[in-house]
Amino acid sequence: MKDFIAIGDYAPQQLQAMLDLAVRLKEEWQAGGNAPLLQGKTLAMIFQKPSLRTRVSFDMAMRHLGGDALYLSPAEIGLGKRESIADVARVVSGYVDAIMARVFAHEHVVELAKWASIPVINGLSDYNHPCQAMADALTIYEEFKTLKGINVTYVGDGNNVAVSLMFVCAKLGANFTIANPEGYDLPAEAVNLGRKFAAESGSTITLLNDPHQAVHNADVVYTDTWTSMGQEEEAEKRRRVFPPYQVNATLIAEARPHAIVMHCLPAHRGEEITDEVADGPHSRLFPQAHNRMHAQKAVLVELLTEK
Ligand code: CP
Ligand code: NVA
C-alpha cells in the first residue's frame, strides 16, 4: 500500500502487523529511544482544520525516528482554493517524502493521494480518522491483550471517528455496537462495508438507539464530540438532541465492571462526557492520546521504509 487513507483499505494481517510494530516501537521508545528508521525523511503536514494531538504526535514521531516534519497551516496552502489539490500534490512530492493531510471532504485526501508520487496519510477527513483508529486499537490491545471478542460500544454521533473505530474493530475481531440518536446514524455504505469485514473476522456490528442497551456487556465505552469540525452551525440543535447520550457515571455503571472509557479528544466536558468519568478510574483518555504517537510511528515506518 502506498497510502494510509482508510482502515478498510488494509487487510487484518497488515493492521495487526502495524499494531505489533507500534507495540515494539513504544517499548523501544520507553527503554531509551527509537532507532533512526526515518533518518533523512521529511513529512509535510497539511491542515485544513485545527489540531493538537495529530500535529504534535506526528511531529514528535518523525523526530524520534530521526526524521523531520513541516507544519502547513490552514491559512497557508489553501488546498483546492489558492491552488488545485492535484498541483499541491505534485509540487509537495518533489520536496518531501510523505504527506499527512487533515481535510474537510474525504475526496480531497483521496485526490491528494491520486496525484502525489509519495505516500499520503489521512489525518482526519469527514469520512474517517484511521490514525485515531490505530491508536484506539493499540489502547484496547494493551488493556485486553487482544481485540478478538472484545465488546466495543460507541455512544454518540455516527461520525468519522465512529466509522474508523467500527472498521478497526470489524477487521480485528472486536464486536462493535453503536448507540446514536435517530438521524445521526453511521453512513449506510460504511456499515455495509463494516459488516463485510465483521463477517470475515467472525465479529458483530450492532446498531442501536438506546445507550443503556448498548453499554450492557461493554468492555470499552467510547464517545466523541456531538458536533464535529465543519458542523458548527448545527451545534445548538445537536446540544438539544444528544444529552441522553452523555457518558456519565450512571451509564458506565451499566457496562462491565472492568470497562474502560475512551474518547479521541478534544472532549467537551459536561456534554458528551462528564469530568467524573473522564478523570475517573475507567478512563484511558490520556494513554489513548499518547498512543497516537506510537501507532503513527508504525504507520510511518510501514509506508516509508523498504521491506
Ligand atoms: N483526536 C485528534 O485527532 O485530536 P486533534 O484534533 O487535536 O488532532
Ligand atoms: N469527530 C471529531 C474528531 C476530532 C478529532 C471531528 O471531526 O471534529
Side-chain angles (χ1 to χ4, degrees):
M1 299 289 295
K2 175 175 94 65
D3 308 301
F4 192 70
I5 302 292
I7 292 288
D9 299 339
Y10 277 77
Q13 297 76 5
Q14 291 174 304
L15 295 171
Q16 188 60 53
M18 275 196 278
L19 213 51
D20 294 343
L21 179 58
V23 170
R24 283 208 304 282
L25 290 168
K26 182 172 179 177
E27 279 167 8
E28 188 182 82
W29 168 249
Q30 288 174 334
N34 289 128
L37 298 174
L38 301 181
Q39 187 92 55
K41 308 262 193 207
T42 302
L43 175 73
M45 307 191 293
I46 300 175
F47 284 91
Q48 287 189 315
K49 300 172 180 172
S51 169
L52 169 64
R53 279 145 292 271
T54 305
R55 177 183 177 178
V56 180
S57 60
F58 265 108
D59 194 333
M60 294 313 295
M62 286 303 293
R63 293 187 203 196
H64 291 172
L65 293 164
D68 215 337
L70 292 174
Y71 170 68
L72 299 157
S73 78
E76 260 158 325
I77 293 201
L79 200 62
K81 294 199 183 88
R82 180 171 186 261
E83 198 164 356
S84 78
I85 293 174
D87 286 357
V88 169
R90 287 174 289 181
V91 170
V92 177
S93 292
Y95 299 147
V96 299
D97 302 282
I99 298 170
M100 188 279 296
R102 166 167 287 193
V103 299
F104 285 98
H106 185 67
E107 307 81 70
H108 290 175
V109 69
V110 172
E111 176 90 352
L112 259 182
K114 177 180 157 196
W115 290 97
S117 59
I118 57 177
V120 172
I121 298 169
N122 181 359
L124 179 148
S125 64
D126 59 0
Y127 175 56
N128 82 149
H129 194 358
C131 296
Q132 182 67 53
M134 292 306 291
D136 299 343
L138 178 58
T139 308
I140 297 168
Y141 183 79
E142 286 178 335
E143 191 73 29
F144 301 105
K145 305 300 163 227
T146 183
L147 270 84
K148 289 228 179 307
I150 299 299
N151 296 329
V152 177
T153 293
Y154 177 98
V155 178
D157 186 24
N159 64 16
N160 46 5
V161 167
V163 166
S164 33
L165 182 67
M166 172 179 67
F167 283 166
V168 88
C169 287
K171 287 270 179 182
L172 297 177
N175 301 313
F176 178 83
T177 299
I178 184 170
N180 58 268
E182 273 175 41
Y184 296 90
D185 301 331
L186 290 163
E189 326 81 77
V191 173
N192 289 339
L193 207 51
R195 288 207 195 279
K196 183 172 148 292
F197 302 148
E200 286 161 7
S201 74
S203 63
T204 59
I205 290 179
T206 309
L207 312 180
L208 300 172
N209 294 123
D210 179 359
H212 301 280
Q213 189 186 350
V215 299
H216 183 69
N217 276 333
D219 298 300
V220 177
V221 178
Y222 197 121
T223 191
D224 183 20
T225 183
W226 295 337
T227 303
S228 287
M229 292 179 278
Q231 301 173 328
E232 287 75 9
E233 73 288 354
E234 295 177 31
E236 272 314 307
K237 183 176 160 218
R238 285 167 175 266
R239 260 189 218 111
R240 287 195 296 274
V241 171
F242 276 89
Y245 294 81
Q246 183 184 67
V247 172
N248 53 35
T250 309
L251 192 69
I252 294 308
E254 298 169 23
R256 288 186 164 165
H258 63 247
I260 62 167
V261 173
M262 297 175 64
H263 188 312
C264 61
L265 302 178
H268 304 78
R269 287 162 175 263
E271 294 192 4
E272 75 273 6
I273 193 164
T274 57
D275 284 333
E276 187 183 7
V277 170
D279 300 326
H282 298 277
S283 173
R284 297 294 180 276
L285 269 51
F286 298 105
Q288 178 188 1
H290 298 157
N291 276 341
R292 289 291 302 276
M293 183 174 74
H294 306 296
Q296 287 156 199
K297 282 180 183 173
V299 174
L300 290 164
V301 168
E302 168 67 26
L303 297 182
L304 284 169
T305 60
E306 300 292 330
K307 297 293 150 338

PDB file of all heavy atoms in Angstrom, residues 49 53-54 102 124-126 129 132 154 157 159-161 224-225 227-230 264-266 292, ligand 2:
ATOM      1  N   LYS A  49      -7.883  22.088   9.158  1.00  0.00           N
ATOM      2  CA  LYS A  49      -8.641  22.262  10.407  1.00  0.00           C
ATOM      3  C   LYS A  49      -7.643  22.316  11.558  1.00  0.00           C
ATOM      4  O   LYS A  49      -6.508  21.863  11.392  1.00  0.00           O
ATOM      5  CB  LYS A  49      -9.557  21.055  10.656  1.00  0.00           C
ATOM      6  CG  LYS A  49     -10.587  20.769   9.612  1.00  0.00           C
ATOM      7  CD  LYS A  49     -11.279  19.432   9.919  1.00  0.00           C
ATOM      8  CE  LYS A  49     -12.330  19.098   8.891  1.00  0.00           C
ATOM      9  NZ  LYS A  49     -12.878  17.736   9.065  1.00  0.00           N
ATOM     10  N   ARG A  53      -3.387  16.888  18.993  1.00  0.00           N
ATOM     11  CA  ARG A  53      -2.798  15.553  19.006  1.00  0.00           C
ATOM     12  C   ARG A  53      -2.163  15.161  17.680  1.00  0.00           C
ATOM     13  O   ARG A  53      -1.017  14.687  17.650  1.00  0.00           O
ATOM     14  CB  ARG A  53      -3.874  14.499  19.363  1.00  0.00           C
ATOM     15  CG  ARG A  53      -4.149  14.393  20.845  1.00  0.00           C
ATOM     16  CD  ARG A  53      -5.610  14.104  21.076  1.00  0.00           C
ATOM     17  NE  ARG A  53      -6.373  15.272  20.689  1.00  0.00           N
ATOM     18  CZ  ARG A  53      -6.668  16.282  21.521  1.00  0.00           C
ATOM     19  NH1 ARG A  53      -6.348  16.200  22.780  1.00  0.00           N
ATOM     20  NH2 ARG A  53      -7.312  17.369  21.102  1.00  0.00           N
ATOM     21  N   THR A  54      -2.895  15.341  16.587  1.00  0.00           N
ATOM     22  CA  THR A  54      -2.391  14.874  15.293  1.00  0.00           C
ATOM     23  C   THR A  54      -1.107  15.615  14.933  1.00  0.00           C
ATOM     24  O   THR A  54      -0.110  15.008  14.532  1.00  0.00           O
ATOM     25  CB  THR A  54      -3.481  15.056  14.218  1.00  0.00           C
ATOM     26  OG1 THR A  54      -4.658  14.384  14.686  1.00  0.00           O
ATOM     27  CG2 THR A  54      -3.052  14.475  12.885  1.00  0.00           C
ATOM     28  N   ARG A 102      -5.007  16.699   6.886  1.00  0.00           N
ATOM     29  CA  ARG A 102      -6.302  16.766   7.586  1.00  0.00           C
ATOM     30  C   ARG A 102      -7.206  17.664   6.762  1.00  0.00           C
ATOM     31  O   ARG A 102      -6.902  18.842   6.580  1.00  0.00           O
ATOM     32  CB  ARG A 102      -6.115  17.324   8.999  1.00  0.00           C
ATOM     33  CG  ARG A 102      -7.436  17.725   9.640  1.00  0.00           C
ATOM     34  CD  ARG A 102      -7.329  17.973  11.104  1.00  0.00           C
ATOM     35  NE  ARG A 102      -7.166  16.722  11.818  1.00  0.00           N
ATOM     36  CZ  ARG A 102      -7.298  16.591  13.136  1.00  0.00           C
ATOM     37  NH1 ARG A 102      -7.570  17.637  13.887  1.00  0.00           N
ATOM     38  NH2 ARG A 102      -7.137  15.420  13.705  1.00  0.00           N
ATOM     39  N   LEU A 124      -7.417  12.793   9.304  1.00  0.00           N
ATOM     40  CA  LEU A 124      -8.843  13.009   9.586  1.00  0.00           C
ATOM     41  C   LEU A 124      -9.512  13.647   8.379  1.00  0.00           C
ATOM     42  O   LEU A 124      -9.033  14.638   7.830  1.00  0.00           O
ATOM     43  CB  LEU A 124      -9.076  13.908  10.825  1.00  0.00           C
ATOM     44  CG  LEU A 124     -10.532  14.222  11.219  1.00  0.00           C
ATOM     45  CD1 LEU A 124     -10.686  14.376  12.731  1.00  0.00           C
ATOM     46  CD2 LEU A 124     -11.017  15.500  10.529  1.00  0.00           C
ATOM     47  N   SER A 125     -10.613  13.027   7.993  1.00  0.00           N
ATOM     48  CA  SER A 125     -11.489  13.596   6.963  1.00  0.00           C
ATOM     49  C   SER A 125     -12.913  13.461   7.490  1.00  0.00           C
ATOM     50  O   SER A 125     -13.126  12.862   8.546  1.00  0.00           O
ATOM     51  CB  SER A 125     -11.330  12.822   5.647  1.00  0.00           C
ATOM     52  OG  SER A 125     -11.767  11.486   5.811  1.00  0.00           O
ATOM     53  N   ASP A 126     -13.872  14.006   6.741  1.00  0.00           N
ATOM     54  CA  ASP A 126     -15.258  13.891   7.225  1.00  0.00           C
ATOM     55  C   ASP A 126     -15.727  12.430   7.217  1.00  0.00           C
ATOM     56  O   ASP A 126     -16.689  12.095   7.889  1.00  0.00           O
ATOM     57  CB  ASP A 126     -16.210  14.797   6.419  1.00  0.00           C
ATOM     58  CG  ASP A 126     -16.229  14.480   4.925  1.00  0.00           C
ATOM     59  OD1 ASP A 126     -15.507  13.553   4.472  1.00  0.00           O
ATOM     60  OD2 ASP A 126     -16.970  15.166   4.191  1.00  0.00           O
ATOM     61  N   HIS A 129     -11.098   8.537  10.402  1.00  0.00           N
ATOM     62  CA  HIS A 129      -9.903   9.040  11.091  1.00  0.00           C
ATOM     63  C   HIS A 129      -9.014   7.820  11.384  1.00  0.00           C
ATOM     64  O   HIS A 129      -8.948   7.350  12.516  1.00  0.00           O
ATOM     65  CB  HIS A 129     -10.362   9.739  12.376  1.00  0.00           C
ATOM     66  CG  HIS A 129      -9.330  10.602  13.037  1.00  0.00           C
ATOM     67  ND1 HIS A 129      -8.041  10.743  12.576  1.00  0.00           N
ATOM     68  CD2 HIS A 129      -9.419  11.385  14.149  1.00  0.00           C
ATOM     69  CE1 HIS A 129      -7.383  11.559  13.385  1.00  0.00           C
ATOM     70  NE2 HIS A 129      -8.189  11.969  14.339  1.00  0.00           N
ATOM     71  N   GLN A 132      -6.397   7.703  14.231  1.00  0.00           N
ATOM     72  CA  GLN A 132      -7.051   7.589  15.536  1.00  0.00           C
ATOM     73  C   GLN A 132      -7.418   6.125  15.793  1.00  0.00           C
ATOM     74  O   GLN A 132      -7.194   5.605  16.892  1.00  0.00           O
ATOM     75  CB  GLN A 132      -8.316   8.462  15.540  1.00  0.00           C
ATOM     76  CG  GLN A 132      -9.054   8.447  16.862  1.00  0.00           C
ATOM     77  CD  GLN A 132      -8.242   9.117  17.950  1.00  0.00           C
ATOM     78  OE1 GLN A 132      -7.789  10.242  17.802  1.00  0.00           O
ATOM     79  NE2 GLN A 132      -8.026   8.415  19.060  1.00  0.00           N
ATOM     80  N   TYR A 154     -19.759   2.307  21.111  1.00  0.00           N
ATOM     81  CA  TYR A 154     -19.597   3.738  20.836  1.00  0.00           C
ATOM     82  C   TYR A 154     -20.950   4.404  21.080  1.00  0.00           C
ATOM     83  O   TYR A 154     -21.968   3.962  20.556  1.00  0.00           O
ATOM     84  CB  TYR A 154     -19.142   3.932  19.389  1.00  0.00           C
ATOM     85  CG  TYR A 154     -19.003   5.378  18.978  1.00  0.00           C
ATOM     86  CD1 TYR A 154     -17.759   6.011  18.977  1.00  0.00           C
ATOM     87  CD2 TYR A 154     -20.123   6.119  18.599  1.00  0.00           C
ATOM     88  CE1 TYR A 154     -17.645   7.347  18.612  1.00  0.00           C
ATOM     89  CE2 TYR A 154     -20.009   7.452  18.236  1.00  0.00           C
ATOM     90  CZ  TYR A 154     -18.763   8.053  18.242  1.00  0.00           C
ATOM     91  OH  TYR A 154     -18.648   9.378  17.883  1.00  0.00           O
ATOM     92  N   ASP A 157     -22.528  10.380  18.181  1.00  0.00           N
ATOM     93  CA  ASP A 157     -22.755  10.698  16.771  1.00  0.00           C
ATOM     94  C   ASP A 157     -22.084   9.659  15.864  1.00  0.00           C
ATOM     95  O   ASP A 157     -20.925   9.295  16.084  1.00  0.00           O
ATOM     96  CB  ASP A 157     -22.155  12.092  16.511  1.00  0.00           C
ATOM     97  CG  ASP A 157     -22.441  12.613  15.113  1.00  0.00           C
ATOM     98  OD1 ASP A 157     -23.429  12.176  14.500  1.00  0.00           O
ATOM     99  OD2 ASP A 157     -21.668  13.483  14.656  1.00  0.00           O
ATOM    100  N   ASN A 159     -20.124   9.475  13.466  1.00  0.00           N
ATOM    101  CA  ASN A 159     -19.225  10.380  12.726  1.00  0.00           C
ATOM    102  C   ASN A 159     -17.983   9.659  12.192  1.00  0.00           C
ATOM    103  O   ASN A 159     -17.887   8.427  12.207  1.00  0.00           O
ATOM    104  CB  ASN A 159     -18.850  11.575  13.627  1.00  0.00           C
ATOM    105  CG  ASN A 159     -18.045  11.157  14.860  1.00  0.00           C
ATOM    106  OD1 ASN A 159     -17.514  10.055  14.921  1.00  0.00           O
ATOM    107  ND2 ASN A 159     -17.942  12.045  15.829  1.00  0.00           N
ATOM    108  N   ASN A 160     -17.010  10.446  11.766  1.00  0.00           N
ATOM    109  CA  ASN A 160     -15.749   9.939  11.208  1.00  0.00           C
ATOM    110  C   ASN A 160     -15.008   8.989  12.172  1.00  0.00           C
ATOM    111  O   ASN A 160     -14.491   7.948  11.765  1.00  0.00           O
ATOM    112  CB  ASN A 160     -14.850  11.117  10.789  1.00  0.00           C
ATOM    113  CG  ASN A 160     -14.762  12.239  11.826  1.00  0.00           C
ATOM    114  OD1 ASN A 160     -15.293  12.128  12.928  1.00  0.00           O
ATOM    115  ND2 ASN A 160     -14.085  13.316  11.466  1.00  0.00           N
ATOM    116  N   VAL A 161     -14.950   9.381  13.443  1.00  0.00           N
ATOM    117  CA  VAL A 161     -14.228   8.568  14.431  1.00  0.00           C
ATOM    118  C   VAL A 161     -14.961   7.245  14.654  1.00  0.00           C
ATOM    119  O   VAL A 161     -14.334   6.181  14.762  1.00  0.00           O
ATOM    120  CB  VAL A 161     -14.065   9.373  15.743  1.00  0.00           C
ATOM    121  CG1 VAL A 161     -13.626   8.493  16.904  1.00  0.00           C
ATOM    122  CG2 VAL A 161     -13.071  10.515  15.524  1.00  0.00           C
ATOM    123  N   ASP A 224     -17.381  10.591  21.490  1.00  0.00           N
ATOM    124  CA  ASP A 224     -16.706  11.697  20.799  1.00  0.00           C
ATOM    125  C   ASP A 224     -17.652  12.892  20.834  1.00  0.00           C
ATOM    126  O   ASP A 224     -18.828  12.769  21.198  1.00  0.00           O
ATOM    127  CB  ASP A 224     -16.368  11.270  19.351  1.00  0.00           C
ATOM    128  CG  ASP A 224     -15.596  12.334  18.574  1.00  0.00           C
ATOM    129  OD1 ASP A 224     -14.992  13.232  19.212  1.00  0.00           O
ATOM    130  OD2 ASP A 224     -15.580  12.271  17.320  1.00  0.00           O
ATOM    131  N   THR A 225     -17.138  14.020  20.400  1.00  0.00           N
ATOM    132  CA  THR A 225     -17.923  15.259  20.371  1.00  0.00           C
ATOM    133  C   THR A 225     -19.262  15.067  19.664  1.00  0.00           C
ATOM    134  O   THR A 225     -19.373  14.267  18.735  1.00  0.00           O
ATOM    135  CB  THR A 225     -17.120  16.375  19.673  1.00  0.00           C
ATOM    136  OG1 THR A 225     -17.875  17.580  19.709  1.00  0.00           O
ATOM    137  CG2 THR A 225     -16.791  16.038  18.216  1.00  0.00           C
ATOM    138  N   THR A 227     -20.593  17.539  18.012  1.00  0.00           N
ATOM    139  CA  THR A 227     -20.508  18.395  16.821  1.00  0.00           C
ATOM    140  C   THR A 227     -19.077  18.362  16.303  1.00  0.00           C
ATOM    141  O   THR A 227     -18.166  18.869  16.956  1.00  0.00           O
ATOM    142  CB  THR A 227     -20.887  19.851  17.174  1.00  0.00           C
ATOM    143  OG1 THR A 227     -22.201  19.855  17.738  1.00  0.00           O
ATOM    144  CG2 THR A 227     -20.847  20.750  15.963  1.00  0.00           C
ATOM    145  N   SER A 228     -18.874  17.770  15.152  1.00  0.00           N
ATOM    146  CA  SER A 228     -17.526  17.676  14.591  1.00  0.00           C
ATOM    147  C   SER A 228     -17.139  18.972  13.883  1.00  0.00           C
ATOM    148  O   SER A 228     -18.005  19.794  13.534  1.00  0.00           O
ATOM    149  CB  SER A 228     -17.458  16.508  13.606  1.00  0.00           C
ATOM    150  OG  SER A 228     -17.473  15.293  14.302  1.00  0.00           O
ATOM    151  N   MET A 229     -15.839  19.098  13.641  1.00  0.00           N
ATOM    152  CA  MET A 229     -15.324  20.269  12.932  1.00  0.00           C
ATOM    153  C   MET A 229     -15.999  20.355  11.559  1.00  0.00           C
ATOM    154  O   MET A 229     -16.066  19.357  10.835  1.00  0.00           O
ATOM    155  CB  MET A 229     -13.809  20.168  12.770  1.00  0.00           C
ATOM    156  CG  MET A 229     -13.061  20.291  14.096  1.00  0.00           C
ATOM    157  SD  MET A 229     -11.272  20.154  13.909  1.00  0.00           S
ATOM    158  CE  MET A 229     -11.041  18.383  13.863  1.00  0.00           C
ATOM    159  N   GLY A 230     -16.513  21.525  11.239  1.00  0.00           N
ATOM    160  CA  GLY A 230     -17.217  21.708   9.970  1.00  0.00           C
ATOM    161  C   GLY A 230     -18.736  21.691  10.144  1.00  0.00           C
ATOM    162  O   GLY A 230     -19.476  22.024   9.227  1.00  0.00           O
ATOM    163  N   CYS A 264     -11.577  10.197  21.624  1.00  0.00           N
ATOM    164  CA  CYS A 264     -10.428  10.601  20.789  1.00  0.00           C
ATOM    165  C   CYS A 264      -9.878  11.952  21.196  1.00  0.00           C
ATOM    166  O   CYS A 264      -8.735  12.269  20.865  1.00  0.00           O
ATOM    167  CB  CYS A 264     -10.842  10.623  19.322  1.00  0.00           C
ATOM    168  SG  CYS A 264     -12.172  11.794  18.989  1.00  0.00           S
ATOM    169  N   LEU A 265     -10.694  12.761  21.905  1.00  0.00           N
ATOM    170  CA  LEU A 265     -10.348  14.131  22.307  1.00  0.00           C
ATOM    171  C   LEU A 265     -10.208  15.020  21.061  1.00  0.00           C
ATOM    172  O   LEU A 265      -9.826  14.511  20.026  1.00  0.00           O
ATOM    173  CB  LEU A 265      -9.067  14.173  23.150  1.00  0.00           C
ATOM    174  CG  LEU A 265      -9.079  13.338  24.445  1.00  0.00           C
ATOM    175  CD1 LEU A 265      -7.717  13.458  25.143  1.00  0.00           C
ATOM    176  CD2 LEU A 265     -10.201  13.772  25.373  1.00  0.00           C
ATOM    177  N   PRO A 266     -10.485  16.319  21.104  1.00  0.00           N
ATOM    178  CA  PRO A 266     -10.811  17.069  22.319  1.00  0.00           C
ATOM    179  C   PRO A 266     -12.201  16.731  22.874  1.00  0.00           C
ATOM    180  O   PRO A 266     -13.140  16.524  22.124  1.00  0.00           O
ATOM    181  CB  PRO A 266     -10.764  18.533  21.851  1.00  0.00           C
ATOM    182  CG  PRO A 266     -10.973  18.500  20.384  1.00  0.00           C
ATOM    183  CD  PRO A 266     -10.412  17.198  19.908  1.00  0.00           C
ATOM    184  N   ARG A 292      -1.437   7.789  20.099  1.00  0.00           N
ATOM    185  CA  ARG A 292      -1.420   8.325  18.734  1.00  0.00           C
ATOM    186  C   ARG A 292       0.015   8.313  18.192  1.00  0.00           C
ATOM    187  O   ARG A 292       0.272   7.906  17.057  1.00  0.00           O
ATOM    188  CB  ARG A 292      -1.972   9.758  18.704  1.00  0.00           C
ATOM    189  CG  ARG A 292      -3.465   9.875  18.946  1.00  0.00           C
ATOM    190  CD  ARG A 292      -4.274   9.314  17.790  1.00  0.00           C
ATOM    191  NE  ARG A 292      -3.959   9.963  16.520  1.00  0.00           N
ATOM    192  CZ  ARG A 292      -4.485  11.104  16.084  1.00  0.00           C
ATOM    193  NH1 ARG A 292      -5.410  11.705  16.802  1.00  0.00           N
ATOM    194  NH2 ARG A 292      -4.136  11.619  14.920  1.00  0.00           N
TER     195      ARG A 292
HETATM  196  N1  NVA B   2     -15.239  13.911  15.207  1.00  0.00           N
HETATM  197  C1  NVA B   2     -14.297  14.945  15.549  1.00  0.00           C
HETATM  198  C2  NVA B   2     -12.949  14.360  15.853  1.00  0.00           C
HETATM  199  C3  NVA B   2     -11.890  15.338  16.242  1.00  0.00           C
HETATM  200  C4  NVA B   2     -10.545  14.699  16.444  1.00  0.00           C
HETATM  201  C5  NVA B   2     -14.203  15.948  14.409  1.00  0.00           C
HETATM  202  O1  NVA B   2     -14.179  15.544  13.243  1.00  0.00           O
HETATM  203  O2  NVA B   2     -14.168  17.153  14.696  1.00  0.00           O
END
